[in-house]
Each structure stands twice: as C-alpha cells, then as structure tokens.
Amino acid sequence: MNREFEPLPQVRLAGLHCEVARTDESRKVSASSPAVEVMTDFTRVPAATISGETLLDDANRAMLLRGVRLLLVSDARHLVRGVITVADLLGERPVHTARDRGVTLGELTVDSVMTPLEKTEAVELGEIMRADVGHIVATLRRSGRQHLLVLEREEGGRGLIRGIFSASQIARQLGEPQPMITEIARTFAEIEAAIAA
C-alpha cells in the first residue's frame, strides 16, 4: 500500500459564528438501546494493556495518559493475566502488600496488586448481543463495579477479552451528568481515594 495521501485543504474560522454540533437525537443511546452500542470493542479500539512488571506509579501514569480507570494486565504473548483498576492502585492493597513484603510502595509492581484472571468475571459476547443498555447498567450495579469485561469464546477452550463496558462512558452516552455506579469501596483508604479522584 504505497499510495501517497495529499493533505486536505483547510479553511480559516475567522469571521464565522460557529456552534458545537448537537447530538442527533435519533441516535441517542437509551436504556433500551442495544448493549453493543455502548461497548468498547477491542477489535475496533485497542485495549489499554500493561505488563505485570510495571511499577505502580507508572501504571497510574498510564491510566491518566490513556484516560482509563482499568488496564488489562497481559504478558509478551498477549495473554491476559488479570486486571488492575484505579481502586487497586489507590486503595489499601498496595500499603498492605508493601508492608507484608517488607518493601516500599515505590518498589511494588502491577503483579503485586492486580486482580488475577481467575478472580475476574465477564459476560459472554452472545449475551451482550441479546442485551440492552439497561441490562449492562443492572449488571454493573449488582457487581458494584465500574467496568464489565466481555468474553468471546474460541475453539479449544480459549477465550478473547473482546471488549469492555465502562459505567462513566455509559453515563455520558445516556446524557447523565454523573456515573450511575460507584465502585464498592471495601476500605476507608479506598473511600478516601474515590473522593480524591
């Protein structure tokens, strides 16, 4: 594909009275819209991933740079090993882990505080294809989580993390000013971190 692309002509905005385009109300998402309309599909948008060997401070910076609150922890072969959320980074888990291992917080890696894949849940893609946005909201509320992973099964017992739902993204798409779900804080430090975020 050696095709040359020419830059498009640009126009000056000086002297124009410009407004921001309004959302097409006929395309607005509602609770009864198909769930797939609010899913971040990893076949279209690259997943936010991180190595388990990454230091926690670097993982926090990676989340900030990408504008996400969850990273998939993967290895060199792209196998998902777990997930790490902003609550994992800012909660009590790092403090307890550092104390138990006799190291400083600055020495901890993602591996030490992530939620391993074995303790992570997902909804299968087939269920998502039959669900509405309201089903996703109800699932997030029941789990007390900000995110919901989507699993696509492959032959041979393999699976793909096909996508993710984010409570804050769904709230934006529904036109709600606040996220509809808040992650359940299990400790006082997690409550403080959530307030500070």
Side-chain angles (χ1 to χ4, degrees):
M1 192 165 143
N2 293 332
R3 183 175 161 202
E4 286 286 324
F5 290 94
E6 295 293 323
L8 298 173
Q10 293 180 301
V11 297
R12 296 205 178 274
L13 299 180
L16 292 177
H17 178 77
C18 295
E19 295 180 19
V20 176
R22 289 183 174 77
T23 305
D24 179 358
E25 291 297 320
S26 67
R27 296 187 59 194
K28 190 172 181 182
V29 174
S30 71
S32 59
S33 297
V36 73
E37 288 186 20
V38 296
M39 180 179 92
T40 301
D41 186 339
F42 294 150
T43 64
R44 297 173 183 258
V45 177
T49 62
I50 197 158
S51 164
E53 292 79 41
T54 306
L55 294 174
L56 295 188
D57 284 345
D58 293 333
N60 192 31
R61 275 190 286 281
M63 283 187 192
L64 290 170
L65 287 171
R66 293 176 179 162
V68 298
R69 298 174 65 92
L70 178 142
L71 297 168
L72 295 172
V73 183
S74 63
D75 63 18
R77 297 174 300 167
H78 303 288
L79 292 177
V80 178
R81 299 180 47 238
V83 299
I84 187 161
T85 67
V86 72
D88 296 328
L89 291 174
L90 302 178
E92 284 187 7
R93 192 182 305 178
V95 174
H96 291 300
T97 303
R99 185 189 63 223
D100 294 346
R101 294 183 181 184
V103 298
T104 66
L105 282 171
E107 296 174 275
L108 289 178
T109 62
V110 167
D111 276 337
S112 60
V113 298
M114 73 176 189
T115 302
L117 193 63
E118 305 81 56
K119 294 183 178 180
T120 306
E121 295 180 332
V123 174
E124 294 203 36
L125 183 61
E127 293 292 330
I128 298 302
M129 300 309 284
R130 295 185 294 273
D132 294 332
V133 171
H135 295 112
I136 304 305
V137 172
T139 305
L140 287 164
R141 279 197 178 119
R142 183 185 63 206
S143 70
R145 292 295 191 202
Q146 285 285 322
H147 301 92
L148 178 63
L149 296 178
V150 179
L151 173 70
E152 182 176 15
R153 291 194 186 264
E154 293 189 321
E155 292 180 20
R158 295 184 46 169
L160 283 175
I161 302 299
R162 172 63 186 270
I164 190 169
F165 291 97
S166 161
S168 57
Q169 179 180 328
I170 292 171
R172 279 191 301 273
Q173 289 180 273
L174 289 172
E176 294 184 10
Q178 301 279 334
M180 305 154 298
I181 297 106
T182 55
E183 195 156 328
I184 296 172
R186 289 165 292 285
T187 64
F188 185 69
E190 288 178 356
I191 293 168
E192 287 180 325
I195 292 169

